Amino acid sequence: MIGRVHLLACIAIFGALIGSVATSRPGYSQSRAGEPGACLTAEEADLARRINDFRAELDLPPIPLSKSLTTVARRHVIDLNEQQPYLATDARGQPCNGHSWSDQGEWTAVCYTPDHANAPGMWSKPREITGGLYPGNGYENVYSSSAGATAAGAIDSWRASPPHAAAILEEDIWARVDWQAMGVGIGGTYAVLWLGEEADPQGAVPVCPQPDTTGTTTNIIVGEEDAFWLHSTICAILDSFNQGDDRLRRGRSFFDCKP
């Protein structure tokens, strides 16, 4: 009981940072993560490192981080968390899965079905979302966890799944590819990896500067992307507790968490 009180007190502090930006959901699909000036969170950088460490076990070269594919990855994480396109069906009544995209963004909606009939609509997202700046197709691994996505959870899941591991290691149906670009995104309950065969003309995406831990005072400015990650993480934490607790219901209402 005391732990929950402390949790809500911490959430209230986050709320002061997030403000109205965190609950402005229409802005999520308009974000520009991965464009010049953007950077990887520590968790995203960790995921990219773990992917290349996995490849190194088979003496494969590291895949360069891509600004374009990180843009795609970040936007898909937001769309999956906020719009849940995987809950829909296509015109044939076939269920959509986690590679799907909603109709609530600056892209063409696609319902990715188990038979891969609509796959081209997903593969073309790097060209579509970057306005042609990235010249080729992209291919995606998706991971989700109700407790909140992490780099460790994502790579462990993909390593244990032969189709996902094969994509990372250029095996089986991917044996003829030579990945030249990688984008990652983590937020809320989702982590995604995008891979491309073409080098990214936009170049790499840097890792965000780490917080000052020397004890000096640092002014923190929370941008739209940071607000989204905080909002999604807080909602995931609240979801992990007993939903019958009135204080948790008030917390979910305060942060506008989806049911």
Side-chain angles (χ1 to χ4, degrees), residues 28-39:
Y28 293 161
S29 61
Q30 308 300 323
S31 63
R32 295 294 185 272
E35 291 184 0
C39 55

Side-chain angles (χ1 to χ4, degrees), residues 66-81:
S66 158
K67 187 170 292 186
S68 294
L69 295 188
T70 295
T71 299
V72 178
R74 287 264 187 89
R75 294 201 190 175
H76 201 203
V77 163
I78 293 170
D79 193 47
L80 289 169
N81 276 288

Side-chain angles (χ1 to χ4, degrees), residues 112-124:
Y112 198 109
T113 52
D115 61 3
H116 309 286
N118 304 321
M122 184 271 276
W123 297 339
S124 63

Side-chain angles (χ1 to χ4, degrees), residues 42-55:
E43 197 71 18
E44 290 166 339
D46 186 35
L47 178 57
R49 178 187 63 79
R50 289 171 184 266
I51 288 166
N52 280 329
D53 285 350
F54 183 28
R55 288 172 55 84

Side-chain angles (χ1 to χ4, degrees), residues 211-231:
D212 185 351
T213 59
T214 62
T216 58
T217 301
T218 303
N219 292 325
I220 301 175
I221 299 175
V222 178
E224 183 178 338
E225 284 298 323
D226 299 316
F228 167 72
W229 309 130
L230 286 171
H231 174 257

